[in-house]
Amino acid sequence: MVGDPGTGKSQILKYASKLSPRSVITTGIGCTKAGLTVAAVKEDGEWALEAGAMVLADGGVCCVDELSSIRETDRVAIHEAMEQQTISVAKAGLVCKLNTRTTVLAATNPRGSYDITQPISANVPIGTPLLSRFDLILVLFDDHTTSWDSLVAGYLLKEDAFIEENNILKNYPADTLWSFEELQQYVSHVKSLTPKLTPPAKEVLGRYYRRQREQISRNVSRTTIRMLESLVRLSQAHAKLMLHDSVLLDDAIVTISLVECTMLNSSLLGSISVLHSVFPADPQQEFNKQSKCEIQLISVREYQCSAFCLPC
């Protein structure tokens, strides 16, 4: 997440760390290469390895706040951890390879005011090789709109009129809402699923990847083979969340919507404000609308009617 100060990035990281059964949260200020990966310590005359944040979060979530505050020489250490899901260690005569199969959530501030006309690599003090390893890069703008400022002020001041008007939970019976513990159990359960891609999902993801690569104004650092790998991972993650045994066309459509939110000036569907997005009143209708636009955009005609029962 790249965003202006005060856009709630740290709060999202804290909530994500609580939701995951296994998590580690750290901040980039004062964080070193050894703290992120592994350190060699001497105890009773013998050298031993002490796991860092990435290793401790193996099988869970590693949240890093203020990522840009980590020194460039230390940030290089997590390249292998994010790409190969392992860390190769050769310290104090100890040579081994440790697993870092973790989901990495990071937050940072842009250089001054975010310039939407420039690529993200020019707005963030982080190298392109590291940025390309993230599946999603969400940009949170604080554009000082009156409606958004009123919404934030009403929430923070806990005004009664605001709470009554914007409480979306009042339309649902209390016994249908999950507790935080139940949500943790559900997340823990779905992480064990291994959904496989179906032919329609493969076709849609492949077409979208090729359309992004064909763009003249494409973001070179984002539209690499890693983008296709990200599309697969995100579609599988959504299938897990929906408790699907396989990755359906619906999962692929939602994945494209997520990626489009991160492409900014190279988006095929136009720019979308991540920070100011709201939950639709009719989710199914909104999904059908997005599905029709995306399917037509990537020209997969055989799925325009049959998959969503949409008018041609």
Side-chain angles (χ1 to χ4, degrees):
M1 292 178 291
V2 179
D4 297 320
T7 50
K9 302 183 298 296
S10 299
Q11 294 299 322
I12 295 176
L13 294 183
K14 290 180 180 178
Y15 191 88
S17 66
K18 293 179 181 178
L19 188 61
S20 176
R22 185 173 186 177
S23 64
V24 175
I25 185 167
T26 183
T27 181
I29 300 175
C31 193
T32 64
K33 173 182 176 181
L36 286 173
T37 55
V38 64
V41 296
K42 196 171 186 178
E43 295 180 357
D44 300 329
E46 297 291 334
W47 285 98
L49 296 178
E50 189 172 287
M54 301 284 288
V55 179
L56 291 174
D58 181 38
V61 175
C62 180
C63 301
V64 184
D65 201 1
E66 302 291 347
L67 181 65
S68 59
S69 298
I70 304 176
R71 291 177 299 181
E72 181 64 31
T73 54
D74 293 329
R75 283 202 300 263
V76 174
I78 65 176
H79 285 199
E80 180 192 358
M82 295 185 65
E83 179 73 18
Q84 307 296 332
Q85 300 283 281
T86 58
I87 289 178
S88 300
V89 182
K91 293 184 177 182
L94 302 173
V95 180
C96 64
K97 184 175 289 188
L98 303 175
N99 290 325
T100 56
R101 298 161 298 184
T102 177
T103 300
V104 180
L105 298 180
T108 186
N109 294 327
R111 288 193 183 107
S113 180
Y114 195 97
D115 186 359
I116 194 172
T117 62
Q118 297 295 323
I120 192 167
S121 56
N123 285 282
V124 181
I126 299 175
T128 300
L130 181 56
L131 285 175
S132 65
R133 284 168 165 79
F134 286 96
D135 294 336
L136 295 172
I137 301 178
L138 301 176
V139 180
L140 308 179
F141 297 108
D142 185 7
D143 50 8
H144 309 289
T145 58
T146 304
S147 58
W148 177 252
D149 291 342
S150 300
L151 189 69
V152 173
Y155 177 79
L156 293 179
L157 297 175
K158 294 181 170 56
E159 297 176 357
D160 294 337
F162 168 84
I163 294 175
E164 181 65 24
E165 181 181 355
N166 295 276
N167 185 11
I168 62 175
L169 301 180
K170 63 183 179 181
N171 299 324
Y172 300 92
D175 57 351
T176 63
L177 301 177
W178 286 5
S179 65
F180 192 80
E181 290 74 18
E182 290 173 326
L183 192 57
Q184 285 178 317
Q185 293 175 3
Y186 182 79
V187 171
S188 178
H189 170 67
V190 299
K191 282 177 69 70
S192 63
L193 302 178
T194 55
K196 303 295 183 182
L197 288 171
T198 58
K202 291 180 181 179
E203 179 69 16
V204 169
L205 295 179
R207 289 284 186 94
Y208 176 74
Y209 171 70
R210 291 195 292 272
R211 281 298 303 273
Q212 280 288 353
R213 295 274 292 179
E214 291 168 358
Q215 279 199 105
I216 298 177
S217 60
R218 69 187 181 96
N219 189 333
V220 179
S221 63
R222 293 287 290 160
T223 52
T224 64
I225 190 64
R226 287 174 180 164
M227 180 183 183
L228 184 57
E229 295 174 341
S230 297
L231 290 171
V232 173
R233 282 193 295 266
L234 290 170
S235 59
Q236 289 176 331
H238 188 267
K240 291 179 181 180
L241 184 64
M242 302 303 293
L243 210 62
H244 294 163
D245 295 330
S246 57
V247 179
L248 306 178
L249 187 57
D250 296 8
D251 302 313
I253 291 297
V254 173
T255 297
I256 293 176
S257 298
L258 285 173
V259 174
E260 281 291 290
C261 292
T262 71
M263 300 306 290
L264 297 181
N265 49 354
S266 61
S267 171
L268 298 177
L269 298 176
S271 60
I272 302 171
S273 175
V274 177
L275 182 62
H276 297 160
S277 299
V278 296
F279 290 102
D282 188 344
Q284 188 60 48
Q285 182 180 2
E286 182 66 21
F287 173 75
N288 290 342
K289 178 182 176 181
Q290 287 286 337
S291 302
K292 186 177 181 181
C293 292
E294 293 175 13
I295 292 296
Q296 290 177 344
L297 182 67
I298 59 179
S299 304
V300 189
R301 296 184 179 276
E302 57 267 32
Y303 300 134
Q304 286 186 13
C305 295
S306 60
F308 307 104
C309 300
L310 299 175
C312 293

